[in-house]
Amino acid sequence: MAGLAVTLSWGWKRAFVALASGAASSLAMEPLNAWPLLFVTFPVATWLIDGSAGRLRGVPAAALAGWLFGFGYFVPGLYWIGNAFLVDAQTFAWLMPFAILGLPAYLALFTSLGFALARLIWTTDASRILALAAALTISEWLRGHVLTGFPWNAFGYALTEPLALAQTASLIGLWGLTFLSVAIFASPAVLIDGRNRSRRPWLVPVIALMLLAAMSIYGSVRLSRHPTEFTGNVRLRIMQPNLAQDARFNYSAKTAVMQKYLTLSDRATGPQSTGVSGATILIWPESAFPFFLTREADAMAEIADLLPKGTILMTGSVRAPDLPPNGRITRAYNSIYVIGDDGGILSIYDKLHLVPFGEFLPFQGLMEKLGFIQLTKVQGGFIPGKGRRTIELPNAPSVLPLICYEAIFPGGMETRGGRPGWIVNLTNDGWFGISTGPHQHLQQARLRAIEQGLPLVRAANTGISVVTDPVGRIVARLDLGVEGVLDSRLPVNMTPTPYARAGDIPAAIMVTMALVLVIRRRRGH
């Protein structure tokens, strides 16, 4: 029997099983969404912990199996990060193997911790499924927070496609979905249990399937009860330039970049299209310019000439800090500007959650002295913003701005200025080429809309640009690697979801209850 073979495996065979099952698990993420595979791979993870033996009650053996499972999971899931090191290959290509293997090796430490924690509280009956679910939820939560966090491809994203399944996030968020994902997909592991371990082992996977069905029914009902509705006076136009990444950091390309943006933004998309004059909000992607926008008077004048009366521009741009006259710029913000039709700056948001090694280096000063520099080549690293806040807009609902990978972090949407009417996510996924990365990024941003009950408007340099309603339906889309403009009305938001009100408290209760049950089972044996 396969389960017994995995439990009794050792040495290189055991290592291969852990690596292979982790790698297969990565197929559950975008763009394949092959989550039924997890009904095989998560039982394997359970059996690997069953078979962990040796010193310290098998905790080191479980930790090693968890690290191998995690490494196998993260390498194919995050391979696309290597593309960023080829944008300036002469400077960074030598670091590509370290990124492709080093980051997964680090992230796998959290999976290792999850397996080790599970083994510490392991039971001999079906309750060990809850032990694994609780332990991996804790370790995944830590992965999303330690050292600024990186919760990319958290296990809970397996239950976000089809869209009906994702609706449960409005109740319990990503970490609640992570707990359910592990518990549901690991449930077939108990089918190999003898009567001395579980009297009715078939009952656990049946309950898991019933839970999956309940999620589907809840999601379907929620979708049917919330058809897409639009605000009457807001018309969006998203410009997706599909600009080569090297041009975005080349000042000599200034004129060509601006001309492309201006021409594309006013492009007619059909017989009824009136170009930018039909929009009330024009949106350009993250860090759109190879220069400091507000320090280029001609660029600001061209934007003012482009915008019709009553139309505003939301655009990403690198922003210089306030300096004395003739002060030397050594650092910068990654920002969003809101610009009025007269060329005036209406509002600014500075990115709060910066990307390690992309926008700053850990121990920045020391690393720079050793000759290292982050991918964006900003000496001293970018300056983080001071807080999250909504932006008030003329003649439109207030908006919550998220720049690039700020959208991958669940929760933390509490802002100064009250509940926003929508989320805008400006990003530049051009770093990652035509790969799975942008698909995964969209998957995660879309879940933020469902969690909060807010429409999502996403402008990406190379795609994927979308407009979704507050239950995650995509109502307008420009695919990856396409140049164009996307016209859409703005969907109406919903009342705050249970997750928007309670945050991660329901997920914490689920994990706590599982831990209490498992510990009681251990003491009862």
Side-chain angles (χ1 to χ4, degrees), residues 4 118 141 422 503:
L4 185 60
W141 184 90
W422 51 298

Side-chain angles (χ1 to χ4, degrees), residues 27-50:
L27 300 177
M29 299 295 128
E30 281 280 357
L32 295 178
N33 295 305
W35 53 263
L37 279 172
L38 299 182
F39 279 117
V40 175
T41 60
F42 273 55
V44 168
T46 306
W47 296 329
L48 286 169
I49 299 174
D50 279 341

Side-chain angles (χ1 to χ4, degrees), residues 143-159:
R143 179 162 71 89
H145 290 80
V146 172
L147 299 179
T148 78
F150 190 67
W152 199 282
N153 283 358
F155 295 133
Y157 286 112
L159 289 179

Side-chain angles (χ1 to χ4, degrees), residues 288-465:
F289 312 98
F291 51 84
F292 291 106
L293 176 60
T294 56
R295 291 178 174 246
E296 302 285 343
D298 55 341
M300 293 298 292
E302 288 175 318
I303 288 173
D305 289 341
L306 169 71
L307 296 177
K309 187 70 174 176
T311 300
I312 63 172
L313 170 67
M314 299 182 68
T315 182
S317 177
V318 175
R319 183 175 79 84
D322 297 329
L323 295 170
N326 302 319
R328 181 171 175 266
I329 301 172
T330 58
R331 300 183 69 191
Y333 296 94
N334 186 354
S335 304
I336 292 176
Y337 284 103
V338 180
I339 302 173
D341 55 33
D342 61 353
I345 304 299
L346 303 180
S347 189
I348 300 172
Y349 167 74
D350 299 320
K351 186 177 183 181
L352 183 65
H353 208 136
L354 301 177
V355 181
F357 301 99
E359 294 171 319
F360 76 97
L361 295 173
F363 311 105
Q364 184 84 36
L366 175 62
M367 296 281 278
E368 287 186 344
K369 287 179 181 179
L370 295 174
F372 292 95
I373 188 170
Q374 65 268 12
L375 290 169
T376 48
K377 297 184 177 180
V378 175
Q379 185 178 4
F382 278 91
I383 308 168
K386 294 183 179 179
R388 200 174 303 289
R389 63 182 179 84
T390 56
I391 294 177
E392 297 297 324
L393 301 175
N395 304 313
S398 62
V399 62
L400 174 66
L402 299 175
I403 300 178
C404 190
Y405 102 142
E406 286 185 317
I408 75 172
F409 295 93
M413 300 292 178
E414 301 79 11
T415 63
R416 301 194 303 272
R419 179 172 167 83
W422 51 298
I423 300 169
V424 66
N425 178 213
L426 306 191
T427 188
N428 175 24
D429 289 352
W431 288 103
F432 311 120
I434 306 300
S435 68
T436 61
H439 294 274
Q440 295 167 3
H441 198 184
L442 171 59
Q443 178 188 40
Q444 295 169 77
R446 189 183 182 192
L447 196 65
R448 304 292 85 79
I450 298 169
E451 288 170 342
Q452 299 295 324
L454 295 173
L456 169 72
V457 178
R458 189 170 192 265
N461 168 34
T462 56
I464 306 165
S465 297

Side-chain angles (χ1 to χ4, degrees), residues 18-140:
L19 275 169
S21 57
S25 297
S26 69
L27 300 177
M29 299 295 128
E30 281 280 357
L32 295 178
N33 295 305
W35 53 263
L37 279 172
L38 299 182
F39 279 117
V40 175
T41 60
F42 273 55
V44 168
T46 306
W47 296 329
L48 286 169
I49 299 174
D50 279 341
S52 296
R55 58 192 180 89
L56 300 178
R57 294 187 296 174
V59 171
L64 178 58
W67 186 88
L68 290 166
F69 184 96
F71 188 69
Y73 177 72
F74 290 116
V75 170
L78 298 173
Y79 77 92
W80 46 266
I81 287 177
N83 289 340
F85 294 83
L86 298 179
V87 172
D88 182 359
Q90 185 175 355
T91 304
F92 295 111
W94 67 277
L95 288 169
M96 185 175 172
F98 296 96
I100 292 175
L101 299 178
L103 179 61
Y106 162 71
L107 296 177
L109 293 175
F110 293 96
T111 318
S112 174
L113 174 64
F115 275 48
L117 178 59
R119 182 64 190 179
L120 274 174
I121 58 174
W122 207 239
T123 61
T124 58
D125 60 18
S127 65
R128 70 193 192 280
I129 301 301
L130 295 178
L132 181 61
L136 282 179
T137 302
I138 292 169
S139 65
E140 287 285 86

